[in-house]
């Protein structure tokens, strides 16, 4: 066979593999780590799953900021458990990502060097206790809307991880809303804390759905691979329509003078999002970007001697066992 | 208060768990690895869960409308009866594990006896807690071993932490008047009797980890009388922040 013939055969084979792969996804079959997959599918999934894992880990910081100062023992225990859940989500999302042939250390390296992104919402500070309520209610609420469709995504390990993540997130959201409810039923001062938190978290929460459809670069391909089922704008609208009545129950005002029910669309119209702010934070210049990275990198560096010790101990143990066996 | 001794006895036990739980809570999100982060948070959760049971019981005994949170967050520093050991800071992971280990061995022995208390509430809390604390002890002992045996650096760091915290171990076996009164009634644990078993177990883990047992015979005490180290005020400032800033509110 000539070289040309071999090349031609390989190209054909790759085309037929790809066609079969796309057909499997269309039939809603799961793709598992050992299955053949196009390189772009692998890379896209590494990017998205790791971004998701990093968001869980960085997301521990703003909420962790209130563990030592939680106002009651019950709230302290609930907050600890919540932040611990996030660490757990990070753990199995990193594991899902590792099945695609990348190590956790490499993923950390991407986070620490700034190559990998995480959800921008965590670059805002938690300055009062009410922020813990607002994060649960709004940020976890937005995350659920983004994530529920992923329970049916095409990559098996990611889909299975998301089933568990979504269950826990919905518990967190109820918990956050309950913090807000308690504040709103409390004293005038407590209600002010709640309103102030909503004022600061509302717009960044809307930004969590990403740029408008016109600006979004990954939507089309992601739709095909079922990494996305609805567009950013559709999800954002769903979030607003779901959240406005919840704010009404709390007796809080959403900080958007243009927010108005549209009878014809059976949806809320809303004001212009400050996209300059969005891009500023995405590009690393939000209020807490530098502090968050400093905290993550700091924990990693301070922990190096501990991880080294664990590794050295395990190796010594193995050597000792091997010697005993002789 | 009719049962002042019982009330103070419960606080003496519960405050240890509260202050250690608070210290571990500071680390959440900052651990050397995700796995250790999750484990430290878990221990904090266990301890604070125990604290709630103790304080709810203490609040019932006080019977003056005080809640578990009033007891946890609205006392003056001199009214907290925890041992000095548990309030020591998270200087590094070595100190955190050394503090945990030196407390866990005591905690497990104490709970094993408390389970036999004639006070059914305390006995029930002890029974539930002992399973959790046996896990804590395994976790911290394993880390003492790992760090002692691991690298030159980890060996030196964990040895330093053990040396520094050793001075706080003897206080674990001191008894206040309330403690003695409760021991006499069969409610409390005579911790003076646990000392031998404690040092035997601690020393054996240290030796296994190739660490040396500190020889110092000078010990610090005071926590059980409400006289704390300089670290305590800062810890309480955070713990009490919300209750002090916004008094008489529900959360």
């Amino acid at each position: 066979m000539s070289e040309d013939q071999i090349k031609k055969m390989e190209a054909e084979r790759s085309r037929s593999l790809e066609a079969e792969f796309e057909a499997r996804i269309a039939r809603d079959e799961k793709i598992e780590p050992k299955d053949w997959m196009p390189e772009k599918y692998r890379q896209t999934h590494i990017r998205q799953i790791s971004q998701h894992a990093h968001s869980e880990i960085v997301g521990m910081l703003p909420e962790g900021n209130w563990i030592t100062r939680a106002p009651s023992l019950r709230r302290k225990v609930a907050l600890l458990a919540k932040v611990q859940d996030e660490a757990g989500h990070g753990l199995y999302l990193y594991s899902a990502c590792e099945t695609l042939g990348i190590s956790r250390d490499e993923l950390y390296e991407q986070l620490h060097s700034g190559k990998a992104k995480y959800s921008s919402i965590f670059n805002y500070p938690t300055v009062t206790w009410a922020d813990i309520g607002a994060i649960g209610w709004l940020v976890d609420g937005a995350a659920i809307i983004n994530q529920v469709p992923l329970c049916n995504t095409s990559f098996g390990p990611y889909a299975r991880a998301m089933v568990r993540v979504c269950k826990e997130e919905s518990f967190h959201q109820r918990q956050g809303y309950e913090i807000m409810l308690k504040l709103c039923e409390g004293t005038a001062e407590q209600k002010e804390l709640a309103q102030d938190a909503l004022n600061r978290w509302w717009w960044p929460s809307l930004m969590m759905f990403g740029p408008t459809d016109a600006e979004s670069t990954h939507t089309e391909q992601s739709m095909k691979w079922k990494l996305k089922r609805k567009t950013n704008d559709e999800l954002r609208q769903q979030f607003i329509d779901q959240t406005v009545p919840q704010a009404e129950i709390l007796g809080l005002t959403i900080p958007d003078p243009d927010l108005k029910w549209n009878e014809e669309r059976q949806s809320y119209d809303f004001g212009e999002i400050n996209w300059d702010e969005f891009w500023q934070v995405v590009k690393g210049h939000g209020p807490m970007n530098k502090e968050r990275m400093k905290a993550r990198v700091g924990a990693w560096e301070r922990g190096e001697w501990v991880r080294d010790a664990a590794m050295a101990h395990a190796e010594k143990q193995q050597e000792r066992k091997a010697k005993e066996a002789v | 208060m009719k049962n002042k001794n019982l009330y103070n006895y419960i606080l003496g036990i519960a405050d240890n768990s509260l202050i250690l739980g608070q210290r571990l809570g500071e680390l959440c999100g900052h651990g050397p690895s995700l796995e250790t982060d999750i484990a430290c948070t878990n221990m904090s959760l266990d301890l604070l869960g125990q604290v709630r049971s103790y304080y709810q019981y203490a609040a019932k005994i006080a019977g003056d409308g005080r809640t578990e949170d009033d007891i946890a967050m609205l006392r003056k520093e001199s009214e907290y009866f925890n041992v000095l050991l548990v309030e020591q800071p998270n200087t590094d992971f070595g100190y955190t594990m050394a503090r945990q280990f030196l407390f866990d061995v005591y905690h497990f022995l104490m709970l094993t006896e408390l389970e036999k208390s004639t006070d059914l509430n305390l006995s029930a809390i002890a029974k539930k807690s002992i399973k959790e604390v046996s896990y804590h002890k395994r976790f911290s002992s394993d880390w003492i071993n790992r760090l002692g045996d691991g690298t030159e650096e980890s060996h030196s760091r964990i040895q330093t932490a053990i040396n520094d915290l050793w001075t706080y171990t003897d206080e674990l076996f001191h008894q206040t008047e309330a403690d003695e009164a409760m021991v006499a009634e069969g409610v409390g644990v005579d911790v003076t009797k646990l000392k031998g078993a404690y040092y035997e177990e601690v020393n054996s883990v240290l030796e296994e980890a190739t660490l040396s047992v500190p020889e110092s015979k000078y010990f610090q005490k005071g926590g059980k009388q409400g006289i704390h180290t300089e670290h305590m005020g800062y810890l309480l400032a955070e713990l009490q922040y919300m209750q002090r800033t916004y008094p008489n509110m529900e959360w």
Side-chain angles (χ1 to χ4, degrees):
Chain A
M1 236 187 302
S2 74
E3 213 171 287
D4 270 359
Q5 278 173 310
I6 294 172
K7 267 192 190 157
K8 208 172 148 194
M9 266 179 66
E10 271 175 5
E12 255 170 44
R13 188 169 162 266
S14 156
R15 260 199 302 278
S16 82
L17 278 171
E18 195 147 350
E20 170 56 17
F21 176 83
E22 300 292 352
R24 286 183 64 192
I25 291 184
R27 288 196 299 271
D28 259 337
E29 278 175 33
K30 291 278 174 273
I31 305 301
E32 295 301 334
K34 286 190 177 142
D35 296 346
W36 183 89
M37 62 184 78
E39 192 48 28
K40 194 167 173 221
Y41 180 91
R42 183 186 303 276
Q43 291 309 329
T44 301
H45 277 76
I46 289 177
R47 196 190 72 231
Q48 175 156 338
I49 301 172
S50 67
Q51 200 166 310
H52 191 164
H54 297 328
S55 301
E56 298 282 356
I57 300 311
V58 178
M60 294 170 74
L61 299 170
E63 292 183 278
N65 184 39
W66 278 88
I67 287 173
T68 58
R69 291 176 296 165
S72 70
L73 289 176
R74 184 170 82 92
R75 294 292 184 204
K76 192 189 286 287
V77 167
L79 182 57
L80 266 166
K82 184 189 175 191
V83 181
Q84 190 190 36
D85 281 348
E86 278 151 17
H89 297 171
L91 201 57
Y92 38 84
L93 285 165
Y94 281 128
S95 303
C97 206
E98 282 176 303
T99 66
L100 289 163
I102 187 161
S103 71
R104 216 204 291 181
D105 282 6
E106 284 173 277
L107 293 169
Y108 280 147
E109 169 53 32
Q110 292 179 354
L111 173 68
H112 297 159
S113 69
K115 188 182 164 218
K117 296 269 179 275
Y118 57 88
S119 181
S120 270
I121 193 80
F122 301 121
N123 291 316
Y124 290 86
T126 49
V127 291
T128 76
W129 168 251
D131 291 3
I132 300 306
I135 288 183
W137 172 35
L138 302 172
V139 175
D140 290 323
I144 293 167
I145 287 180
N146 266 331
Q147 290 167 7
V148 163
L150 293 173
C151 298
N152 294 313
T153 192
S154 61
F155 185 54
Y158 193 28
R160 288 188 289 274
M162 289 318 296
V163 171
R164 185 161 160 196
V165 169
C166 283
K167 268 189 205 152
E168 291 177 352
E169 294 293 2
S170 99
F171 179 71
H172 296 162
Q173 199 222 356
R174 280 203 300 277
Q175 200 170 282
Y177 190 71
E178 204 253 326
I179 291 177
M180 295 302 276
L181 200 58
K182 197 80 185 169
L183 291 171
C184 293
E185 290 168 353
T187 63
E189 210 176 352
Q190 282 174 302
K191 192 154 182 185
E192 257 172 52
L193 283 175
Q195 181 65 56
D196 161 69
L198 173 59
N199 293 350
R200 282 179 293 106
W201 290 94
W202 174 254
W203 291 104
S205 299
L206 297 192
M207 295 176 197
M208 282 178 71
F209 298 94
T212 57
D213 296 348
E215 300 270 330
S216 179
T217 45
H218 303 300
T219 297
E220 201 187 331
Q221 181 67 79
S222 296
M223 288 272 203
K224 205 161 105 192
W225 287 338
K226 296 176 178 167
L227 264 173
K228 249 184 183 178
R229 301 236 158 173
K230 287 181 184 172
T231 68
N232 294 354
D233 287 334
E234 286 169 338
L235 293 168
R236 188 164 17 240
Q237 185 71 58
Q238 186 186 334
F239 174 74
I240 293 170
D241 291 345
Q242 166 189 310
T243 309
V244 173
Q246 294 170 352
E248 282 166 6
I249 294 173
L250 295 172
L252 295 176
T253 310
I254 290 186
D256 178 359
D258 297 324
L259 188 80
K260 217 175 87 194
W261 177 250
N262 183 325
E263 192 59 40
E264 200 180 313
R265 288 202 306 121
Q266 287 293 299
S267 255
Y268 284 92
D269 293 336
F270 55 97
E272 182 68 23
I273 290 171
N274 182 348
W275 293 111
D276 289 342
E277 177 183 322
F278 173 80
W279 289 113
Q280 180 179 338
V281 183
V282 169
K283 287 175 182 160
H285 306 288
M288 296 296 282
N289 296 58
K290 292 199 173 63
E291 280 81 352
R292 297 292 182 239
M293 267 314 98
K294 221 189 266 173
R296 281 314 321 159
V297 174
W300 184 248
E301 286 173 354
R302 280 191 304 278
E304 191 179 0
W305 69 271
V306 178
R307 297 188 303 274
D308 288 349
M311 193 73 87
H313 172 70
E315 279 165 13
K316 284 184 192 174
Q317 289 279 75
Q318 247 172 5
E319 275 169 34
R320 283 190 281 255
K321 247 187 213 157
K323 262 187 204 160
E324 271 171 33
V326 173
Chain B
M1 199 189 307
K2 210 173 80 195
N3 271 321
K4 187 80 185 163
N5 280 335
L6 178 57
Y7 178 81
N8 281 341
Y9 181 69
I10 297 170
L11 295 194
I13 296 174
D15 289 354
N16 285 338
S17 295
L18 173 71
I19 302 304
L20 186 56
Q22 175 80 358
R23 276 285 183 235
L24 290 167
E26 291 171 10
L27 295 169
C28 187
H30 305 277
S33 68
L34 262 181
E35 288 81 355
T36 47
D37 206 308
I38 290 172
C40 286
T41 308
N42 229 5
M43 293 193 289
S44 176
L45 273 170
D46 287 343
L47 291 166
L48 293 170
Q50 295 163 18
V51 165
R52 294 192 64 195
S53 307
Y54 286 124
Y55 287 164
Q56 282 163 12
Y57 182 34
K60 213 189 279 174
I61 292 164
D64 55 5
R66 252 180 293 182
T67 65
E68 54 172 306
D69 292 323
D70 295 337
I71 296 177
M73 297 172 180
L74 287 173
R75 279 179 283 156
K76 295 193 196 81
E77 179 172 328
S78 60
E79 293 163 345
Y80 285 84
F81 302 133
N82 58 281
V83 291
L84 301 178
L85 174 66
V86 293
E87 70 199 48
Q88 298 311 305
N90 299 309
T91 308
D92 68 10
F93 188 74
Y95 278 80
T96 301
M97 280 305 107
R99 182 186 65 206
Q100 193 66 38
F101 166 66
L102 293 173
F103 182 71
D104 289 342
V105 174
Y106 160 81
H107 200 191
F108 185 82
L109 289 168
M110 191 279 290
L111 289 172
T112 307
E113 292 305 311
L114 190 64
E115 205 185 329
K116 302 173 201 157
S117 171
T118 54
D119 183 303
L120 296 181
N121 282 305
L122 286 180
S123 158
I125 299 172
K127 192 172 180 188
K128 181 184 160 281
S129 310
I130 206 161
K131 282 189 204 139
E132 297 166 346
V133 172
S134 79
Y135 168 75
H136 301 177
K137 189 172 76 157
R138 185 153 33 111
F139 179 81
S140 59
S141 305
D142 282 353
W143 271 105
I144 296 296
N145 191 22
R146 227 171 259 139
L147 297 176
D149 181 54
T151 62
E152 223 169 280
E153 181 180 7
S154 70
H155 181 92
S156 134
R157 280 181 186 255
I158 191 64
Q159 184 70 63
T160 305
I162 291 282
N163 292 351
D164 279 1
L165 294 176
W166 194 256
T167 190
Y168 301 112
T169 52
D170 189 65
E171 190 191 13
L172 292 162
F173 309 101
H174 287 208
Q175 295 199 141
T176 62
E177 275 175 37
D179 295 344
E180 275 163 11
M182 285 300 101
V183 171
E185 283 185 32
V187 169
V189 175
D190 185 350
V191 290
T192 59
K193 289 187 180 154
L194 305 178
K195 201 168 170 175
Y198 174 83
Y199 283 109
E200 201 177 305
E201 184 170 350
V202 165
N203 294 358
S204 119
V205 172
L206 293 181
E207 277 158 24
E208 167 86 31
T210 69
L211 294 166
S212 45
V213 177
E215 281 168 14
S216 171
K217 296 280 178 275
Y218 296 102
F219 295 103
Q220 302 300 320
K221 59 178 192 294
K224 285 187 171 182
Q225 283 71 39
I227 305 162
H228 293 277
T229 58
E230 287 184 353
H231 304 295
M232 185 70 168
Y234 296 94
L235 182 148
L236 291 181
E238 288 191 27
L239 177 71
Q240 302 187 340
Y241 170 72
M242 288 296 289
Q243 292 279 345
R244 297 283 182 203
T245 311
Y246 305 96
N248 304 317
M249 296 184 202
E250 282 184 31
W251 304 94

